[in-house]
Amino acid sequence: MSNAGEWAGERDDAQPVARVHVRAPGKVNLFLGVDAPDEDGYHPLSTVFQAVSLYEDVVATPADDVTVSVSGVADPSTVPLDDRNLALRAAKLLAVATGFDGGVHLELHKTVPVAGGMGGGSADAAAALLACNELWRTGLSHERLHALAARLGADVPFALMGGTAVGSGRGDVLTPALSRGRYEWVLLVDDEGLSTPAVYRAFDEIAAEDRASSDEAELARARRIDPVQVPPEFFEALLSGDALRLGGHLRNQLEAGSFRLRPALESTLERLAADVVGGIVSGSGPTLALLCDTAESADALAERLRGEGRTALRAHGPVRGAHVVSAAD
Ligand code: C5P
């Protein structure tokens, strides 16, 4: 073992662990306000995350190298197994940060839609960080894991934290938010994912066009693009535990970008408006997050959508963040 890592001193040299199973949740952005990009190209966000009960399960076992395998996805080719894989990057980052020079095999079992705007890759990364920290007994604190998570991607810290949280900065500066009750969701999955950077680019194009336009209708649309902060009524709705009230406050400014790339999303939301208490694109999309007032009405809607040949998943939130399910010596 080398001691070169920035947090190398924290390693606990007890017997290695043989197998660690960690579970991490996907998320819906209940509110997503987007500001103009900063000099790094990242958009400052004003967001509220809710962790929902679609999970990524990661099983970590000792190996010579860092490797990853995937199950649970209809088309495995949609999940890269090389250095583009966020779980693999998470394990490598933890090894470098702690000076650990062994390996791990990570088995990912996915149920969060791939490239769906629900933070599935981020959940994989959060789960991999936690699993390797346990497997390798590297003993990093929650704060340090959070710092590594933020280096991996804007949504990774929230997958560690779970529950309900307000995110600022890139979405990685988190404060837990008070929320009451249980919210029932139908997640309407699109067969083909959307690229998050492409959606942000489309959003920037629309904002630029709107600024250049003097047309009244365009200017009305531009107001949709003006950066917004989470209003106080939003937090009151969250605290009420009343889905109907929260539903009226759901908002995602980024969906303008998703609609441009996938116009059918907007018409589907319009078509389903009467069946739900609120509906938005989840994050950058294309998954649609449909909030229902009861579990029964959500089950019925999911069933109906499946009858139309669509992929509709059921979930509730908020749920806890990444956690160890089992660890065997
Ligand atoms: O942080 P993450 O790797 O998930 O972000 C993917 C891409 O989404 C970034 O490279 C950037 O193009 C865009 N993004 C952004 N502003 C954010 C978060 C993500 O522009 N706050």
Side-chain angles (χ1 to χ4, degrees):
M1 185 188 78
S2 99
N3 257 350
E6 60 192 296
W7 294 318
E10 304 186 21
R11 194 165 141 70
D12 161 7
D13 278 320
Q15 282 300 303
V17 180
R19 183 181 186 276
V20 181
H21 173 190
V22 171
R23 171 168 282 187
K27 57 84 189 171
V28 168
N29 297 83
L30 305 176
F31 189 98
L32 183 54
V34 185
D35 211 335
D38 60 23
E39 56 284 356
D40 299 335
Y42 266 87
H43 297 70
L45 302 180
S46 175
T47 189
V48 180
F49 294 102
Q50 184 183 85
V52 298
S53 62
L54 293 182
Y55 298 104
E56 301 284 273
D57 283 292
V58 173
V59 174
T61 46
D64 292 336
D65 296 322
V66 177
T67 53
V68 64
S69 59
V70 175
S71 64
V73 282
D75 178 2
S77 73
T78 55
V79 182
L81 300 179
D82 56 18
D83 274 335
R84 286 168 299 166
N85 187 291
L86 265 189
L88 193 95
R89 293 206 333 235
K92 288 187 173 175
L93 182 62
L94 180 68
V96 169
T98 57
F100 181 78
D101 63 5
V104 64
H105 178 68
L106 297 166
E107 240 177 273
L108 313 184
H109 182 79
K110 300 182 69 70
T111 64
V112 179
V114 175
M118 291 193 65
S122 301
D124 294 342
L129 278 179
L130 205 58
C132 292
N133 195 38
E134 193 77 16
L135 188 81
W136 297 339
R137 294 193 189 276
T138 35
L140 291 196
S141 65
H142 250 80
E143 289 68 35
R144 291 201 158 150
L145 288 178
H146 183 107
L148 293 184
R151 285 197 226 163
L152 289 161
D155 292 338
V156 185
F158 178 71
L160 275 179
M161 180 189 252
T164 309
V166 179
S168 58
R170 297 173 170 192
D172 56 329
V173 182
L174 297 174
T175 313
L178 290 173
S179 171
R180 214 171 260 141
R182 167 175 158 135
Y183 297 92
E184 301 290 344
W185 297 96
V186 173
L187 287 321
L188 184 56
V189 180
D190 222 307
D191 289 340
E192 207 183 322
L194 275 176
S195 142
T196 302
V199 172
Y200 275 102
R201 274 197 305 276
F203 176 87
D204 290 340
E205 278 166 27
I206 296 168
E209 288 161 18
D210 285 348
R211 278 193 298 274
S213 168
S214 58
D215 178 79
E216 271 307 308
E218 286 293 309
L219 281 175
R221 217 155 55 87
R223 280 193 280 278
R224 211 163 79 174
I225 296 292
D226 276 345
V228 290
Q229 300 292 319
V230 190
E233 309 83 68
F234 185 91
F235 294 108
E236 287 159 21
L238 258 185
L239 262 181
S240 75
D242 179 352
L244 194 63
R245 223 168 129 185
L246 185 67
H249 289 289
L250 297 176
R251 181 159 186 198
N252 178 1
Q253 278 195 306
L254 188 57
E255 69 188 11
S258 317
F259 291 159
R260 172 161 287 193
L261 298 181
R262 189 83 42 95
L265 293 177
E266 189 164 19
S267 46
T268 304
L269 273 181
E270 277 163 17
R271 179 170 72 83
L272 296 174
D275 301 309
V276 299
V277 297
I280 44 171
V281 172
S282 177
S284 53
T287 307
L288 297 180
L290 306 166
L291 183 62
C292 297
D293 54 352
T294 62
E296 292 71 29
S297 64
D299 288 343
L301 176 62
E303 205 48 51
R304 200 185 91 204
L305 290 166
R306 286 177 203 133
E308 293 171 10
R310 303 293 309 265
T311 304
L313 307 175
R314 277 280 288 116
H316 63 268
V319 296
R320 63 193 292 209
H323 58 278
V324 176
V325 176
S326 64
D329 291 337

